[in-house]
Amino acid sequence: MSGSSEIRPRSENQMSDSIDAPVTLAGIARIAGVGRAAVSNWRRRHDSFPTPVGGTDASPQFSLADVERWLHAHGKIERIGLRERLWPHYEALGERAVMGAALAEAGRRLLAAEGADQAVPEQSFLPEEAAQVVDETVDAARHEGGRETFDFLLSRWLDAHVRQVSTTPAPLARLMADIAIAVRAGGSEGGDARTTVLDPACGVGGLLLAAGEGMGEWGAEANSTAPVLLGADLDPALAALAAARLGFARAGGGGVGAEIRAGDSLRADPHGAVRADIVLCNPPFNARDWGHEELATDPRWVYGLPPRTEPELAWIEHALARLVPDGVAVFLLPPAVASRRAGRRIRRALLRTGALRGVVALPAGAAQPHSVSLQLWILRMPASDGGAVPGERLFLLDAATSQGAARGAQSIDWVRLSGRVLDAVHAHSWSGARKTGARKELPEGCVTVPVMDLLDEQTDLTPARHVPETAVEAQAKLHESWGRLDGLLDEVRGHSRSLAAIDLSASGDAASTVTVSDLDRAHALKLRQGQMLPDELLHGDALPDGAVPVLSVLDLVQGAGPGGWLAGAEVEKGASTGSFTVAEPGDVVVAGVERAYRVWVQEDTPLVLGPQLYALRPDRELLDPWFLAGCLRAPANARQAGSHTSSSARIDVRNLRVLQLSLAEQRPYAAGFRELLALEESLRSVAAVGEDLVRGLGDGLAAGRLHRSRR
C-alpha cells in the first residue's frame, strides 16, 4: 500500500459505517464505560437490544453500528470516542500478526505525518481490509493525536493477546533500567561517552523505553549525551511496533536514537558485532527450541554450553558476549533458573568469574507468570584490563515478601518496592573493592554472601535460602498465623459439634451397594475419563479471563492447584468433539491413582481433566453429588477397587461402590459427608499453620529475639 499520509478526512458517522466490525459483550462494556454484567443486564431487560450477528452462545458478537445506535438511543452514552470505534475494526482483522502489522503501519504513517525521524519498516503487504483500517486510524489521529491513538490501540492489542505476547510492566521495566544505571555508575569512572543499551528480545520495546526515560534523567545530571537504544525480536510485528513506540517517544522530546531489527538474536543476531554498555532483557521462558544443537560450538558459550532445558542461561551468555568490558546486564528470570540442577555448572562459572553480581527476588505478581516470585539477575562483564576486581561476594536481596499477590503488577506498591531495591543497590559496592570510610549499611532483607560459600553441590542462588528473615517480618508472620489458627480452631469446633451428633449405632443387614459401572449403564450417572492434552495448546502463565484451568495427576501429587490452562474457545471446541473432558460445576471428580487418590465435587468453575482423572456427572433426580462423592472417597472403597501393576497402583473407578439408597435417604448422608470433608480440610489447615508457628517460634527463640517487657 502507499505510504502517503494524504487521506481525505471522514466524519465520525462515515468512520463508523465504513467497516461495520463485530464487537463482543466485553467490547460493548469498554465502549460504554461499564462492567460486562451491566451489558448482560441490558440484553436481558431490553427487547430492542441488538441481536448477535456472529460468535457463539457463550461469546456472541454484535454489529458495532447497531450497538452504537442503541447506546445513543437509550442514553447510555452520548458520544463514542474515535479510538473506541477503531478497536473493533482491528479485532475484525482476526489474526494477531495482521492486527499488529496494521497497527505498526499506522504508527509509521502517523510518525511520517508529524515529520518525525523514525525507522519503522513499511508493512507493504497488508490485506485490503487491514489497509482500510490503517486509513481509519490516520483519520482518527487527526482529532485525537497520533501518539495518543497509537498508545491506546497498542494497549488494547496487548490486552487482547496477553497469552501470546508477554510484556514487562512499566514500573518493573523502569526499576530494571535504574538498577543497570546505578550499577554501571557505581563501578566505572563515567564520562561523556554515549551509552548504548541493547535488548535482544525486546518485544514491543518496554525495557528500551524505560532505559531512554531513565537515562535521559540520569544523563542530564551526568552531563552525558542521550543513549542509543538497540532492540531485536524474532517476531517482525513486535519489532515494528517497538520501533513505532520508540519513534513516538523520540518525537515527544525523548532525545534518544533507536534502531529495532527483526531477527533471532541467538541464531543470527541482527545487530552483529555491536557491543553495548547495558543489556536489559526479559527473555522467553522455557523455550526449548532455542537452537541447542546448531549452536553447540558457538564461541559465546564461555561459561559452558547451556543445556537444552536452560534457554535463559543461553540468553545470559549471549548478553555477556555483547557487553563491553565492565558493561552491565539486568535480566528478569523465573526462580527455577537459580536452582535447577541442569544449570548449576554454568551458575558456578558465572560466580567464579565475577560475571554474576546480584540476585533480587521480586514479589509474586510483578510480571507474567504472576503466580511465581520472579528474579532479577545483575551481571557485569569483567574488565579486559584486569582493573576491576571480580566480585568476591554475591549481592542477594529478598523483596518477595514486600507485598503483592498473584493478581498482577497493579497489586504491588511499586514506589515502595523500587525504593527498597534501589536503596540496597546504592548501598552496595559494585566495583568489587571494599568500601572505605563512611560505609553505608545494607538494609534488612539484603546480604552479601561469599562466593565460595555458594559453590556447593547445588549452587542454589535463591535469595530466600540465604537472606535471614527480619525480626519485624517474623513477628508479623507469627501474628498472622496466630489469628489464622484461632479462626481454624473455631471451625474445627463447629464441625465437631455437628458430626458428634451423628449416631452410627444402627445395626442390621449389610447395606446393599452398586458399582459405578452399574450406575453408568443404568444412566444414573455419566462416566468420562480425562485425556492427554496437546502441549501446543497448553499455557502455564497466569489464568486470564475466559480461560479454563487444566488439572493433572502430577498437580495433585505435588499438592498444587491446576498447573496450566486452555483458551475458552479451544475448550468449547474440544468438548464438542470429545477430545477434551471438562468437569462442570456439580460433577464429581476422581483421581484414579492410589498415590494421589482424591474425590471431590467440582463447585466453582469448569476444569479440564488430564489422564487418570475422571468426571462423573450424576442424574440429579437419582443421585446427590455429595452423597456420591462421600461414598467414593471412603478409604475401604478405594482399597477394594485398587488394581496393582508392576509400575503403579491404580484405582479402577468403575469398580468403586455406592450405597443403594433413594434420593430422600441420600440427603442426610450427603450432609454428613460434606461436614466430614469440611472437618478434614480444617484439620489439614490447622496442621499446616501449626507447623509454621512451631518453626517460626523455634527460630525466633534460638536467635535470641525474645522481648522481655520491663515491669
Side-chain angles (χ1 to χ4, degrees), residues 261-329:
R261 298 177 181 176
D264 188 333
S265 292
L266 290 183
R267 288 184 171 90
D269 191 346
H271 289 291
V274 170
R275 295 295 179 266
D277 302 285
I278 290 176
V279 172
L280 301 174
C281 192
N282 177 1
F285 297 167
N286 302 319
R288 301 299 175 88
D289 183 25
W290 57 268
H292 177 264
E293 290 84 2
E294 58 204 272
L295 298 174
T297 59
D298 196 285
R300 289 172 292 180
W301 313 142
V302 174
Y303 305 90
L305 172 64
R308 182 197 306 275
T309 56
E310 297 284 344
E312 297 88 359
L313 293 178
W315 285 100
I316 285 175
E317 293 203 64
H318 168 78
L320 289 169
R322 293 294 179 264
L323 282 174
V324 299
D326 226 21
V328 175

Side-chain angles (χ1 to χ4, degrees), residues 383-582:
S384 58
D385 59 3
V389 180
E392 298 176 355
R393 304 176 72 88
L394 184 69
F395 171 88
L396 294 170
L397 172 60
D398 185 9
T401 57
S402 297
Q403 76 288 302
R407 296 189 300 272
Q410 69 276 6
S411 67
I412 293 175
D413 183 349
W414 282 104
V415 173
R416 179 185 171 198
L417 175 63
S418 299
R420 179 183 178 188
V421 173
L422 291 173
D423 284 348
V425 167
H426 285 295
H428 180 58
S429 173
W430 296 96
S431 65
R434 295 185 181 275
K435 286 186 175 180
T436 59
R439 181 175 176 271
K440 199 171 182 180
E441 293 295 331
L442 293 174
E444 285 189 332
C446 179
V447 297
T448 60
V449 180
V451 166
M452 292 303 298
D453 291 353
L454 298 169
L455 300 176
D456 55 15
E457 176 65 22
Q458 299 299 323
T459 314
D460 190 335
L461 308 181
T462 304
R465 297 189 181 278
H466 307 282
V467 178
E469 190 174 54
T470 68
V472 174
E473 290 172 341
Q475 182 58 35
K477 284 186 177 179
L478 283 174
H479 182 74
E480 180 184 355
S481 295
W482 282 120
R484 289 184 59 203
L485 183 62
D486 286 343
L488 288 169
L489 290 176
D490 287 341
E491 288 182 14
V492 169
R493 282 188 285 268
H495 298 316
S496 299
R497 284 192 293 268
S498 177
L499 290 169
I502 294 178
D503 185 357
L504 299 178
S505 62
S507 61
D509 297 334
S512 60
T513 59
V514 62
T515 66
V516 168
S517 180
D518 293 334
L519 292 171
D520 188 22
R521 285 195 295 268
H523 302 294
L525 60 78
K526 183 178 181 181
L527 174 65
R528 294 164 298 140
Q529 183 174 356
Q531 293 139 324
M532 186 67 69
L533 303 171
D535 290 339
E536 62 271 16
L537 297 180
L538 274 172
H539 304 275
D541 53 0
L543 187 73
D545 292 339
V548 182
V550 174
L551 185 71
S552 68
V553 168
L554 182 60
D555 296 329
L556 294 176
V557 171
Q558 294 176 342
W565 54 268
L566 293 170
E570 294 292 346
V571 172
E572 185 176 348
K573 177 181 176 182
S576 64
T577 60
S579 56
F580 293 164
T581 297
V582 182

Side-chain angles (χ1 to χ4, degrees), residues 361-374:
L362 298 171
Q368 294 177 320
H370 296 299
S371 58
V372 299
S373 170
L374 298 175

Side-chain angles (χ1 to χ4, degrees), residues 30-47:
R30 285 195 296 265
I31 290 172
V34 298
R36 180 169 173 173
V39 179
S40 298
N41 190 40
W42 294 343
R43 190 183 177 195
R44 287 193 302 269
R45 291 175 53 198
H46 298 280
D47 294 337

Side-chain angles (χ1 to χ4, degrees), residues 601-630:
V601 177
Q602 186 65 18
E603 289 191 281
D604 43 12
T605 61
L607 185 68
V608 178
L609 303 181
Q612 300 176 347
L613 293 172
Y614 299 81
L616 286 70
R617 182 165 297 169
D619 182 338
R620 295 298 188 92
E621 295 183 358
L622 300 174
L623 281 174
D624 183 291
W626 286 98
F627 168 77
L628 175 62

